[in-house]
Amino acid sequence: MKKIIVSILSLALTLCASAQVKVSDDRISVNTGGMSLILNARQGQPLRFVYFGARLSDADAEAIQFSGSRPMNAYPSYGQGEIREDAIAVTHADGNMSLDLAVESVATDSTKDADILAVTLKDKVYDFRVKVFYKAFRDVDMIETWTEIFNDAKKPVVLRKFDSAFLPVRVGDVWVSHLYGTWANEGRLVEEPLNRGILRIENKDGVRNAHTSHAEIMLSLDGKPSENTGAVIGAALCYSGNYHLDLVTNDSDYHRLFAGISADNSSLTLGKGESFRTPELALTYSDEGLSGASRNFHNWARAHKIMHGDKERMILLNSWEGVYFDINEPGMDQMMADIAGMGGELFVMDDGWFGDKYPRLNDTSSLGDWVVDKNKLPNGIQGLVDAATRHGIKFGIWIEPEMANTVSELYEKHPDWIINAAGRDVVKGRGGSQVVLDLGNPAVQDYVFGIVDGLMTNYPGIAYIKWDANMSVSSHGSSYLPADRQSELNIRYHQGFASVCDRIRAKYPDLVIQACASGGGRASYGVLPWFDEFWVSDNTDALQRIYMQWGTSYFFPAITMASHISAVPNHTVHRVTPIKFRIDVAMSGRLGMELQPKDMTEAEIAQCRQAIADYKSVRPVVQFGDIYRLVSPYDGLGIASLMYCSKDKSEAVFYWWRIDNLYDNHPPRVKMAGLDPDRMYKVVELDKAPGRPLSFEGKSFSGSFLMNNGLEMPFGFSDDMMGYSSRVLHLIAD
Ligand code: GLA
């Protein structure tokens, strides 16, 4: 009988195949246009990883088993035979802490965009299964991989570790690029060779999982990372909560990448028949260097992973740095008139508009009380929506729905809705009174959904929401979860978050939503499926933004990066940079403004008006084009430069920023990239420096010349440039 089942199953193994996934006997190739992942799925054996890299021909995919490389366990488990780190560890009801997973079946499936491979692994003794998924996209070079873990036994199983994926990477001169940071310094790039030991990239904030380390990495396989040459693997964990990415290097000939939800203090219990799905790890490969891997991430993001990835973003004014909490109706009306007058398309009213019993005058109160402060806004939100319509722009609003202040009517009514360890003092954050709501609690989920639903039902004219989140989970305890499930708090929070976001998107598919979390705390593929963009940082200083946006662009397209022109001295670092420099940096992302327009000079207003018009003329290239990073600010050459090229190479936008003030420092001439060598490109400067025409304005050069030689950017010193000269060029093919 057993034999028959095996032969039926092996027939299934041979037959199930789809365009991107080919199954032949026990060998499986998962392909995209430019990538292959090869596995070996022999029944009764562990699933084996064979290869990940450039797309293989069928012949090479067949022959690779003889290439001498050692197959590795594709999803190593703890406790039986596996002595190194593992991707999954469990405790069975009888106390047994081991797993021994073997291939049971293989299946394929197709969606509109992708083909999916599912390999079911079953424990040899226990009623416990893991399905390992690989989703290969047809139109982009990305494979998403994740698992689903099933307890088929009668009694509960405790999951102690439950990674999304494991990937071996052949040892060599492999370097890792990843992002670190903190508030006002998010997305900073670090590049380092992989050495012996464990490099752990993790975040355990509980809410804002991208402020410090980021859940995305690139691995340069051919030595020190280079922008436009060399083999690169990219990986991004698509999760909004606590995570870890471990790069383990020991005595083996493979670096071993483990990525998943952080299981620290977060063990999960699966009851009889219950299952748990881990978040996706998105994997890409490029032999066109770091920028090539970035293009793969950006293409995938716009097509599949961010909300409205195919829609142009509006140019906006956000009120925060302009007026902070000083919201009032005439003030909002003036800001709307001013941004409309400069050609902007949207006005966003930030913090400070709400609270009845406790009006939000500063950050010490009112979160949770999402009713308009009638003293500040006598005509309410509808009055503002109507004013925006009168000015010919859209209206947006700030909320922080996952949070409360202990000084709020919400907290007075529902003190049990907050996250805090039972019997202990409430740990308070921002303003000395902020707390995090327990999103694992369905009643809280309904309440959070209701905030957005209430606003949108009452004021359907709201076009944009800035969704903020300014506190960590700082005390561990849920009054909703039972005592034996307290360890699930962090995971339940993010399941609740996802479910609220699903409900919002089901009802409000067109609403634009920005993910803000004390600045860039939610620059993450864990939230972007529901959000259009993120606020890169509360630090709007143009110089520091060059560094932050450079790193962020490794993984996230310009369309997601909210990048605003702000006032000087900068409110965070107090640096003074010229308006042109601030514009030229902001124009490399999703352009916006973050200042009080009535404090601007006429000349500044005129320059911003022109820059906004210029940005509109290149918006599709910036927001949907291919990125080529050219000179890194991190290389100490005194400049930074990058460009975006339209997919058909008929247009490009080139950015050049001088980032030091040193006399007798001669920055390199920048060679462009991504152009068609055989086409002629006319050069038109954008955001022109008044009185400083470029010698090549209106002239045409071949793509080949621009890529092999480049243009000389004037970088002299002058009062108005203050050392921070910059240029933005629009290249238009004849
Ligand atoms: C956070 C955000 C800011 C602003 C304030 C409002 O710090 O990052 O952009 O919205 O909150 O309180």
Side-chain angles (χ1 to χ4, degrees):
M1 180 63 188
K2 197 172 172 209
K3 253 192 172 162
I4 295 170
I5 293 171
V6 169
S7 57
I8 290 170
L9 285 172
S10 51
L11 186 68
L13 285 185
T14 317
L15 290 184
C16 63
S18 55
Q20 314 286 110
V21 179
K22 293 187 180 161
V23 182
S24 138
D25 294 331
D26 45 19
R27 195 171 42 73
I28 306 174
S29 346
V30 181
N31 300 311
T32 67
M35 300 169 9
S36 290
L37 186 135
I38 311 284
L39 300 161
N40 194 296
R42 182 164 301 161
Q43 260 170 21
Q45 299 289 316
L47 176 65
R48 301 283 186 198
F49 167 92
V50 180
Y51 169 88
F52 176 61
R55 170 84 193 235
L56 298 184
S57 65
D58 287 350
D60 281 338
E62 178 73 38
I64 196 160
Q65 56 187 314
F66 308 112
S67 70
S69 63
R70 184 164 60 82
M72 312 263 295
N73 191 334
Y75 193 67
S77 58
Y78 178 76
Q80 182 79 355
E82 196 62 50
I83 52 154
R84 298 170 197 275
E85 288 68 28
D86 45 79
I88 182 166
V90 311
T91 305
H92 302 282
D94 61 3
N96 191 320
M97 290 177 64
S98 71
L99 273 177
D100 192 0
L101 297 171
V103 173
E104 185 187 60
S105 63
V106 172
T108 62
D109 196 2
S110 287
T111 67
K112 182 165 64 66
D113 313 309
D115 292 329
I116 300 172
L117 167 75
V119 181
T120 301
L121 310 176
K122 157 106 182 54
D123 188 86
K124 289 184 177 164
V125 173
Y126 288 85
D127 287 331
F128 185 89
R129 278 177 303 140
V130 178
K131 269 191 184 184
V132 186
F133 292 88
Y134 298 89
K135 176 175 183 179
F137 287 92
R138 286 187 208 105
D139 58 343
V140 296
D141 279 324
M142 194 67 71
I143 295 173
E144 293 177 4
T145 173
W146 70 95
T147 61
E148 206 165 335
I149 302 166
F150 299 84
N151 176 23
D152 302 322
K154 291 197 177 72
K155 294 201 175 142
V157 173
V158 176
L159 308 185
R160 307 194 315 275
K161 192 171 182 204
F162 33 90
D163 280 346
S164 295
F166 165 68
L167 183 76
V169 177
R170 184 67 170 79
V171 161
D173 190 7
V174 178
W175 286 56
V176 60
S177 305
H178 58 108
L179 306 179
Y180 71 98
T182 184
W183 177 82
N185 188 29
E186 294 91 335
R188 292 291 294 226
L189 177 67
V190 58
E191 301 192 310
E192 54 188 314
L194 280 183
N195 287 315
R196 298 272 170 135
I198 299 183
L199 174 65
R200 169 163 292 185
I201 296 168
E202 69 175 359
N203 184 292
K204 293 197 270 185
D205 181 274
V207 176
R208 302 163 295 188
N209 79 353
H211 246 167
T212 53
S213 297
H214 262 245
E216 307 88 32
I217 57 167
M218 285 195 196
L219 298 169
S220 294
L221 309 183
D222 301 325
K224 201 167 184 318
S226 142
E227 278 299 345
N228 292 305
T229 55
V232 174
I233 289 174
L237 185 73
C238 308
Y239 187 55
S240 57
N242 297 348
Y243 61 79
H244 80 104
L245 276 78
D246 285 354
L247 282 152
V248 184
T249 308
N250 46 31
D251 58 342
S252 129
D253 44 3
Y254 285 92
H255 303 288
R256 297 153 63 86
L257 168 65
F258 296 88
I261 293 177
S262 170
D264 283 5
N265 301 308
S266 291
S267 59
L268 270 179
T269 302
L270 292 187
K272 175 180 179 237
E274 284 181 350
S275 63
F276 181 72
R277 186 193 196 276
T278 61
E280 310 90 63
L281 181 74
L283 290 170
T284 192
Y285 170 87
S286 171
D287 52 18
E288 294 178 19
L290 300 165
S291 283
S294 295
R295 291 191 288 277
N296 290 352
F297 275 116
H298 298 182
N299 288 335
W300 161 76
R302 283 184 300 246
H304 305 290
K305 216 61 182 177
I306 63 178
M307 185 47 69
H308 304 138
D310 58 348
K311 297 226 162 55
E312 284 188 11
R313 283 5 184 195
M314 290 178 276
I315 298 162
L316 63 86
L317 169 66
N318 185 65
S319 69
W320 181 240
E321 286 194 21
V323 298
Y324 292 102
F325 292 99
D326 191 11
I327 301 278
N328 59 65
E329 214 166 81
M332 298 297 97
D333 192 66
Q334 162 251 313
M335 289 181 112
M336 289 191 239
D338 289 342
I339 186 63
M342 283 185 275
E345 298 153 329
L346 168 72
F347 172 71
V348 182
M349 176 172 67
D350 207 288
D351 198 352
W353 60 267
F354 52 93
D356 180 20
K357 180 173 169 190
Y358 303 104
R360 176 86 164 168
L361 304 176
N362 50 46
D363 64 6
T364 61
S365 71
S366 323
L367 294 176
D369 300 348
W370 301 105
V371 288
V372 80
D373 178 347
K374 282 277 183 193
N375 291 320
K376 290 180 175 179
L377 300 170
N379 291 301
I381 293 168
Q382 192 55 48
L384 299 172
V385 173
D386 292 343
T389 309
R390 266 199 313 279
H391 293 298
I393 58 174
K394 304 269 187 212
F395 178 77
I397 195 165
W398 179 96
I399 52 174
E400 196 178 351
E402 298 154 80
M403 306 284 160
N405 288 108
T406 50
V407 183
S408 70
E409 294 184 68
L410 180 78
Y411 184 71
E412 287 172 352
K413 257 187 258 150
H414 298 289
D416 55 324
W417 276 10
I418 69 163
I419 291 182
N420 208 73
R424 299 197 183 276
D425 289 347
V426 173
V427 176
K428 299 171 190 168
R430 187 180 182 201
S433 69
Q434 187 159 338
V435 287
V436 182
L437 297 174
D438 184 5
L439 260 181
N441 179 343
V444 175
Q445 292 165 24
D446 288 346
Y447 157 80
V448 173
F449 170 73
I451 296 167
V452 174
D453 194 34
L455 281 172
M456 294 308 296
T457 307
N458 292 325
Y459 316 108
I462 292 176
Y464 178 107
I465 282 180
K466 175 173 175 180
W467 176 308
D468 212 337
N470 289 310
M471 194 178 161
S472 326
V473 172
S474 313
S475 171
H476 192 122
S478 160
S479 26
Y480 171 74
L481 290 171
D484 60 351
R485 297 269 182 155
Q486 288 289 314
S487 67
E488 297 177 13
L489 180 151
N490 281 303
I491 290 169
R492 299 290 169 216
Y493 183 97
H494 288 279
Q495 287 177 332
F497 176 74
S499 130
V500 169
C501 290
D502 280 342
R503 284 167 73 184
I504 291 171
R505 281 314 186 184
K507 194 156 175 195
Y508 304 106
D510 299 330
L511 179 66
V512 179
I513 314 184
Q514 179 189 79
C516 176
S518 316
R522 276 188 169 161
S524 157
Y525 283 116
V527 305
L528 284 170
W530 303 283
F531 290 76
D532 298 66
E533 59 175 32
F534 51 83
W535 184 220
V536 176
S537 176
D538 278 349
N539 185 346
T540 55
D541 169 54
L543 179 64
Q544 201 158 347
R545 274 294 185 111
I546 289 176
Y547 290 86
M548 293 190 279
Q549 294 180 188
W550 188 270
T552 306
S553 81
Y554 269 45
F555 306 101
F556 300 97
I559 198 168
T560 59
M561 289 201 268
S563 182
H564 295 181
I565 304 163
S566 63
V568 288
N570 177 265
H571 292 194
T572 305
V573 299
H574 307 286
R575 196 189 325 277
V576 177
T577 52
I579 184 77
K580 174 166 168 55
F581 188 75
R582 284 175 273 145
I583 292 172
D584 288 355
V585 172
M587 277 176 87
S588 67
R590 194 280 282 133
L591 177 66
M593 302 187 83
E594 184 86 23
L595 42 62
Q596 171 52 281
K598 77 172 181 204
D599 295 341
M600 296 167 79
T601 65
E602 273 308 313
E604 286 173 335
I605 288 177
Q607 195 160 348
C608 285
R609 187 181 297 119
Q610 182 58 51
I612 287 174
D614 286 352
Y615 184 79
K616 285 179 184 168
S617 74
V618 294
R619 176 159 46 187
V621 184
V622 177
Q623 298 193 352
F624 306 118
D626 284 332
I627 193 168
Y628 290 83
R629 284 179 302 266
L630 304 169
V631 179
S632 169
Y634 293 87
D635 284 350
L637 296 170
I639 57 166
S641 181
L642 59 79
M643 61 195 290
Y644 302 105
C645 300
S646 65
K647 294 277 175 202
D648 64 0
K649 298 187 186 291
S650 65
E651 272 186 279
V653 188
F654 169 86
Y655 297 83
W656 182 95
W657 304 288
R658 174 139 200 182
I659 57 175
D660 72 21
N661 270 321
L662 302 179
Y663 192 82
D664 197 28
N665 180 7
H666 301 275
R669 186 175 55 223
V670 181
K671 293 179 181 176
M672 298 186 186
L675 301 171
D676 181 338
D678 300 326
R679 288 175 89 168
M680 296 298 288
Y681 291 89
K682 185 164 88 182
V683 181
V684 176
E685 188 183 11
L686 303 177
D687 185 28
K688 284 197 178 64
R692 290 172 196 282
L694 289 165
S695 57
F696 37 78
E697 174 73 24
K699 301 281 179 292
S700 291
F701 303 87
S702 69
S704 159
F705 175 80
L706 294 170
M707 293 194 290
N708 294 323
N709 188 84
L711 301 171
E712 293 288 0
M713 297 292 142
F715 60 88
F717 293 85
S718 66
D719 280 357
D720 62 339
M721 292 292 176
M722 294 175 249
Y724 297 104
S725 53
S726 57
R727 299 285 178 166
V728 183
L729 308 179
H730 186 190
L731 308 175
I732 308 157
D734 289 347

